[in-house]
Amino acid sequence: MVGASAGLGRALCAELARRGCDLVVTARHDEDLDALATDLRLRHSVAVTPRALDLCGPAEALERYVDECYAALGAVDTVLVTAGAVDDTDDGTAPPAVTTTLVQTNFLGVATLASAFVERFETQGRGTIVLFSSIAAAAPRGRNVAYGAAKAALEQYGRALQHRLAGGDVRVQIYALGYVDTAMAAGRRLLLPRADPQRIARTVADGLERDRRFTYLPRYWQAIVFAIRWLPWPIYRRLRF
């Protein structure tokens, strides 16, 4: 579970541990990981290993993380990556370092990690990778330029992997999230209410054994995105959300 320390990632850790899954819990900083791991072990009697990982780190570190997961668990069945980042200056004029970090965290680092796990999963003959996109990928706005572009790239990367892996037992699932009640959405002007992360976590966990390729969550966002895509430009450009 990459992105385990807060928000949806933390909710997914709790839900998967409740279902008896052993976990490697991962975040960029390790301050909260030991406490999270201890809490999950005590509550659910599962094995939980904390590991810090920076998606902006070198490819070698990301590949080494894969080895660490296998060493901790013996075998890996599922990888979920909720980790991501936004920045209030991401309006198309952000400093290059900000844009680079957003693209690396939301796309390049995730793709590198997923690619390394795909190689292992193909060798063992099974496995599931769960990627998390955003409605920002389908409804680009001037307030999150690099973030929306990175999530759109992640969606296309995930779809390409699905095509490559079609017919086998290695699966890639993509969830495009609407507003979720997490710190990332705090203080932002939003079009609709925030979804409960625990409810989203239950839906994702339920779908791990199903053939889900691309899903909007909450599901009503599918209709909203369809409508937004058909808005005439004179109307779309006036939207502020």
Side-chain angles (χ1 to χ4, degrees):
M1 180 68 243
V2 182
S5 63
L8 178 57
R10 198 176 190 96
L12 276 165
C13 287
E15 182 62 26
L16 293 170
R18 185 183 68 80
R19 297 180 186 217
C21 299
D22 295 331
L23 301 170
V24 174
V25 293
T26 303
R28 182 177 181 182
H29 302 294
D30 57 7
E31 290 90 345
D32 297 328
L33 289 177
D34 287 335
L36 173 62
T38 299
D39 179 69
L40 293 173
R41 292 188 202 107
L42 292 174
R43 287 177 182 270
H44 305 289
S45 299
V46 294
V48 184
T49 304
R51 285 287 184 273
L53 178 70
D54 185 357
L55 289 173
C56 292
E60 294 79 5
L62 300 178
E63 293 168 357
R64 186 165 58 250
Y65 170 79
V66 177
D67 293 332
E68 292 173 351
C69 288
Y70 273 87
L73 297 174
V76 178
D77 296 315
T78 305
V79 179
L80 304 97
V81 188
T82 63
V86 295
D87 193 287
D88 289 339
T89 67
D90 182 23
D91 64 355
T93 63
V98 171
T99 300
T100 298
T101 297
L102 290 172
V103 173
Q104 182 72 31
T105 303
N106 294 296
F107 171 54
L108 291 176
V110 180
T112 300
L113 195 61
S115 177
F117 273 108
V118 163
E119 185 176 359
R120 288 293 191 96
F121 286 171
E122 286 190 297
T123 299
Q124 70 187 25
R126 58 180 173 79
T128 300
I129 295 174
V130 186
L131 304 176
F132 291 86
S133 182
S134 165
I135 54 109
R141 313 186 293 279
R143 60 178 288 179
N144 52 14
V145 176
Y147 173 81
K151 288 298 189 181
L154 182 63
E155 283 188 12
Q156 295 305 310
Y157 171 81
R159 290 178 186 274
L161 276 183
Q162 289 171 343
H163 184 265
R164 179 181 177 278
L165 298 167
D169 291 324
V170 180
R171 298 177 298 174
V172 177
Q173 298 180 343
I174 307 167
Y175 289 93
L177 301 179
Y179 306 134
V180 181
D181 191 12
T182 66
M184 190 176 288
R188 296 181 179 274
R189 182 181 179 183
L190 303 178
L191 182 65
L192 290 169
R194 299 174 179 87
D196 176 22
Q198 283 75 30
R199 185 172 182 177
I200 298 293
R202 287 193 296 271
T203 300
V204 172
D206 287 343
L208 289 176
E209 300 303 321
R210 301 174 186 173
D211 187 20
R212 288 185 176 172
R213 293 186 296 276
F214 186 92
T215 308
Y216 282 103
L217 289 179
R219 294 182 186 276
Y220 55 71
W221 275 101
Q222 181 173 353
I224 293 172
V225 167
F226 179 83
I228 288 175
R229 283 175 167 165
W230 284 95
L231 284 177
W233 173 248
I235 297 175
Y236 183 83
R237 70 179 183 180
R238 292 186 174 89
L239 294 179
R240 295 292 181 266
F241 60 91

